[in-house]
Amino acid sequence: MTSPRTTLSLVDTDPAELAVDAIVIGVHSQTTEQESGSPAGALLLASGAESIAAAFDGKLTETLALLGATGGPGEVIKLATLGTVTAPVVAAVGLGPEPSGAAPAPETLRRAAGAAVRALAGAARVALALPLPDDADAPAALRAVGEGALLGGYRFAGYKTKPQPARRAPVAEVLVAVPDAADTTAQAEVTRAQAVAGAVRTSRDWVNTAPNELRPPSFADAVATAAREAGLGVEVLDEAALAAGGYGGILAVGQGSEAPPRLVKLTYTPEGGGNGKRVALVGKGITFDTGGISIKPAQGMWEMKSDMAGAAAVGAAMLAVAALKPSVAVTGYLPMAENMPSGTSYRPGDVITMYSGKRVEVLNTDAEGRMILADGIARACEDGADYLFETSTLTGGQVIALGKKIAGVMGTPELCERVRAAGDATGEPAWPMPLPDDVRKGMDSDVADISQVNAGMDRAGHMLQGGVFLREFVTDDVAWAHIDIAGPGYHSGEATGYWTKGGTGVPVRTLLHLVDDVAANG
């Protein structure tokens, strides 16, 4: 099910003269009296809105303040223009305190654009006259505005059978005001923002789809169809091919469901071979997770439709890779299964022979993600990779340790630092975590090569146990990073910034930034 799409373009017409349904400007909060002599608490107009302010005879900020505007981040106040400018509505979006001697950070602009476009649902055409720097930081700022606008306007199509009178249609067209709409660098940023945001929206659509409509075979079909249309190489292993290939982890998790498991491999090969490096992306695709025999509590289990957010992110990122054409080879691996309790489910106490040949003692069938990922990782290493990035809604321990917006990262220290830097650059924060020896020691098994969890630690170090287990399936010559998005992959609260309720698309933008980083720097 595809969400309505928003188009994005540039415009260099005076914002006061734009023929749009609404014009968005930025306002800063002011907490102390500044050199301008403005009293503490007054609003400060951000750059880009000068002609709008002039049309209001200098009374724009005063009027917005009377309407309750504070300039707080993400706050949106709408004002009827009554003919003072061409647009019938001015929407002022808060940017927080004015940064000293600099334009707002890209993430501030990304969130502001998202909040404004979402608040203007019902308007067909919206223009953004937000502050953009005129230096080397301009491309990143413009990219952020574009991404925020396209993602803030996202709405899942849903399943309602009757029209909802209160649900106004998302904004159809967004124009971003810039000094020169024909500038090639600016145009390139718009193209990239459309490709990246389109991938994030696709990822969100897959995550938000009802789990009865996106079981492993249908999920694999959806990804494969989109990938073929994008020009990617596609290989889909069904249950027979998985059995013939020895993918014990994927098969074990999937054997409890009547919907059989899949492994989807997507391949992008750059023209001329690129820079010679190979990137592997691996994503967890548990289309629904009951916990299996080790069944989960009922409360909140409905959110387990999002347990395939890692695979959704990898599949969507590969679509953007096909569009952006980086100079590095990229291959995506999406192991998919449905973890259900039944007479054929795998059990605590089972010993599973994995794709790598390693034997795993199962202690908890709810630790299923690491089982399918281990097979995907082993296949990626066998195929050849210099850098491996794996992402998954793997552990509740990630949420306990880092909350719902910061991913946990484990793996090769240098690569973990690159993931952290990529997260900072894209607004998808991640924090490196250790892989302690004592966690691994507790996973020694009496009957197999390794147990699935550290029984002695129970829930202690839960996130770290996942990383330690996955490390066993990465070959020594591959730099790797495991990105646990159990919290950031799904947003159950109200919409904020460019996040809407449901799937977030994290970490699509991080993965694409990392691919660019490897393409540029190896």
Side-chain angles (χ1 to χ4, degrees), residues 288-482:
F288 195 80
D289 183 19
T290 66
I293 297 298
S294 308
I295 198 161
K296 293 178 180 291
Q299 181 63 33
M301 193 193 288
W302 49 84
E303 289 188 4
M304 287 300 98
K305 69 178 186 179
S306 69
D307 213 17
M308 37 63 73
V314 167
M318 290 299 299
L319 300 180
V321 165
L324 297 172
K325 295 179 170 46
S327 60
V328 63
V330 188
T331 306
Y333 299 83
L334 289 70
M336 302 173 179
E338 187 177 51
N339 190 24
M340 300 288 283
S342 75
T344 59
S345 296
Y346 80 132
R347 299 153 289 258
D350 283 1
V351 174
I352 307 299
T353 302
M354 308 293 283
Y355 181 75
S356 67
K358 192 166 297 216
R359 291 182 172 173
V360 174
E361 180 185 14
V362 175
L363 300 183
N364 183 345
T365 64
D366 194 24
E368 85 298 328
R370 64 198 67 183
M371 298 292 289
I372 70 168
L373 287 168
D375 278 356
I377 287 170
R379 170 66 188 274
C381 291
E382 179 182 84
D383 287 349
D386 299 296
Y387 303 97
L388 188 151
F389 301 99
E390 170 270 314
T391 187
S392 48
T393 49
L394 199 65
T395 65
Q398 179 273 314
V399 182
I400 299 301
L402 296 171
K404 294 190 173 183
K405 291 190 176 181
I406 302 175
V409 187
M410 289 141 275
T412 308
E414 185 271 339
L415 210 58
C416 289
E417 179 56 28
R418 290 173 80 166
V419 172
R420 186 202 61 76
D424 287 348
T426 59
E428 296 181 339
W431 196 252
M433 302 295 287
L435 296 174
D437 291 339
D438 65 314
V439 174
R440 173 60 185 88
K441 182 173 176 56
M443 298 172 83
D444 287 341
S445 167
D446 292 335
V447 297
D449 298 313
I450 186 173
S451 63
Q452 197 195 23
V453 297
N454 185 322
M457 294 184 71
D458 190 25
R459 302 291 289 180
H462 189 216
M463 173 171 55
L464 311 183
Q465 292 182 46
V468 165
F469 180 85
L470 293 177
R471 180 177 59 184
E472 296 290 311
F473 300 88
V474 182
T475 56
D476 293 339
D477 59 335
V478 176
W480 71 288
H482 157 56

Side-chain angles (χ1 to χ4, degrees), residues 212-224:
N212 59 312
E213 293 198 357
L214 202 74
R215 304 179 84 178
S218 56
F219 186 22
D221 288 345
V223 172

Side-chain angles (χ1 to χ4, degrees), residues 28-271:
H28 294 287
S29 57
Q30 183 176 312
T31 55
T32 60
E33 186 169 349
Q34 300 186 355
E35 292 181 2
S36 63
S38 299
L43 294 174
L44 294 175
L45 205 63
S47 64
E50 292 80 4
S51 64
I52 306 291
F56 278 82
D57 294 327
K59 297 181 180 179
L60 180 56
T61 54
E62 178 184 341
T63 304
L64 289 169
L66 288 173
L67 292 173
T70 66
E75 171 191 83
V76 180
I77 300 294
K78 291 180 274 188
L79 169 67
T81 66
L82 303 178
T84 54
V85 298
T86 304
V89 173
V90 166
V93 61
L95 299 171
E98 184 178 36
S100 176
E107 181 64 7
T108 299
L109 293 171
R110 191 180 285 112
R111 292 178 182 177
V117 171
R118 184 175 58 257
L120 289 166
R125 300 180 81 223
V126 169
L128 306 180
L130 293 174
L132 297 173
D134 56 3
D135 55 16
D137 295 329
L142 178 56
R143 182 186 305 180
V145 169
E147 289 176 354
L150 295 174
L151 297 179
Y154 169 86
R155 181 187 295 166
F156 180 58
Y159 300 94
K160 294 182 182 292
T161 58
K162 296 181 180 179
Q164 303 296 304
R167 284 181 60 129
R168 296 172 295 167
V171 173
E173 183 180 2
V174 174
L175 309 175
V176 181
V178 295
D180 181 5
D183 179 75
T184 55
T185 299
Q187 288 286 352
E189 290 301 338
V190 167
T191 298
R192 181 180 175 84
Q194 289 173 320
V196 172
V200 174
R201 292 169 70 107
T202 296
S203 175
R204 290 179 178 182
D205 282 345
W206 284 333
V207 172
N208 291 333
T209 298
N212 59 312
E213 293 198 357
L214 202 74
R215 304 179 84 178
S218 56
F219 186 22
D221 288 345
V223 172
T225 298
R228 290 190 183 102
E229 291 175 354
L232 295 169
V234 178
E235 178 186 2
V236 179
L237 302 184
D238 62 12
E239 64 272 32
L242 290 170
Y247 294 86
I250 299 173
L251 287 165
V253 175
Q255 71 189 37
S257 172
E258 65 178 5
R262 296 286 187 267
L263 174 63
V264 179
K265 177 183 174 182
L266 308 176
T267 305
Y268 164 77
T269 304
E271 291 186 11

